[in-house]
Amino acid sequence: SGGSELGQYIARGNLQTETADALLDYAHAGEGFIKGFLSAGAVAAPASQLVGTLERSASSALSINGATRTVPLGFQSEAQFMTASSELQAALMASGIDDAIIGVRGSSVTGTSYRTGAPFSPRSDIDFFVESAKLTEGYRTSPNIPGFVNPKPILRDYPELKTWSDNWASELGRKVTPGGFVPGTVPNHPAIIVR
């Protein structure tokens, strides 16, 4: 279930949220997830107060690791971003990738390049990430970013993801690609996660 995937993501230390409100705005996994989250001591509130709030959203975004936005730069609206995210999830499912946690990282989240410090611009790309054992299995990972699988071989081997990438690049007028991460290796940089 989605809740157990998110719970595992949090348990691995990948989600660093400062407030219960940020979690509530994001989570929609149900009472089982919240009880597990509470038993880990992550939120100081009774599950009965949290569950109703969690059921209000079928799909949402959460800023993590110091990110200050839930819609990446380059998108015109939250609705457009959520459409792109939903279509990415559908392309992953159609490709047999059913264990994915998706999100966006990089300059479209922070406003500047992590490597160069250059500001996000009309030439900047949008870096979606897919944390998935199924997607990354059998690929060589980057020597520079532990656990990262470059989008090039992924797009070559998964036509549904290539179509998604091409469609959104055309829609947004900039490169939009899904890079892979071996589970547990997404860097603790500012990011947006979508469920």
Side-chain angles (χ1 to χ4, degrees):
S1 83
S4 64
E5 289 171 23
L6 181 60
Q8 290 169 10
Y9 193 76
I10 292 167
R12 287 194 309 266
N14 290 338
L15 180 63
Q16 298 173 359
T17 184
E18 298 289 84
T19 66
D21 290 339
L23 177 67
L24 293 174
D25 288 341
Y26 169 65
H28 62 278
E31 187 170 358
F33 165 72
I34 290 302
K35 283 182 179 173
F37 195 74
L38 290 170
S39 70
V43 179
S48 60
Q49 289 180 328
L50 302 177
V51 175
T53 309
L54 297 177
E55 295 171 355
R56 71 176 180 229
S57 172
S59 185
S60 57
L62 173 69
S63 58
I64 62 169
N65 300 329
T68 58
R69 67 183 87 243
T70 56
V71 177
L73 298 171
F75 284 93
Q76 295 174 9
S77 66
E78 180 180 18
Q80 186 184 44
F81 172 54
M82 295 311 292
T83 298
S85 299
S86 296
E87 289 177 5
L88 175 55
Q89 283 285 23
L92 288 161
M93 293 298 282
S95 301
I97 309 300
D98 60 2
D99 66 337
I101 295 173
I102 69 166
V104 178
R105 53 189 300 272
S107 63
S108 67
V109 175
T110 63
T112 59
S113 168
Y114 180 74
R115 261 182 322 118
T116 68
F120 187 82
S121 73
R123 294 185 323 223
S124 299
D125 62 355
I126 297 178
D127 301 317
F128 274 81
F129 68 84
V130 179
E131 183 180 23
S132 164
K134 290 182 178 181
L135 180 66
T136 57
E137 185 177 352
Y139 288 105
R140 197 167 85 188
T141 60
S142 166
N144 301 322
I145 305 172
F148 177 68
V149 176
N150 191 286
K152 236 180 232 184
I154 291 172
L155 295 177
R156 178 192 65 222
D157 295 342
Y158 290 94
E160 294 281 342
L161 296 179
K162 172 87 168 96
T163 298
W164 174 86
S165 178
D166 290 345
N167 288 346
W168 280 98
S170 176
E171 174 79 18
L172 299 176
R174 63 181 71 240
K175 192 173 174 185
V176 180
T177 56
F181 277 96
V182 172
T185 65
V186 177
N188 286 334
H189 299 160
I192 299 168
I193 294 181
V194 179
R195 288 292 294 152

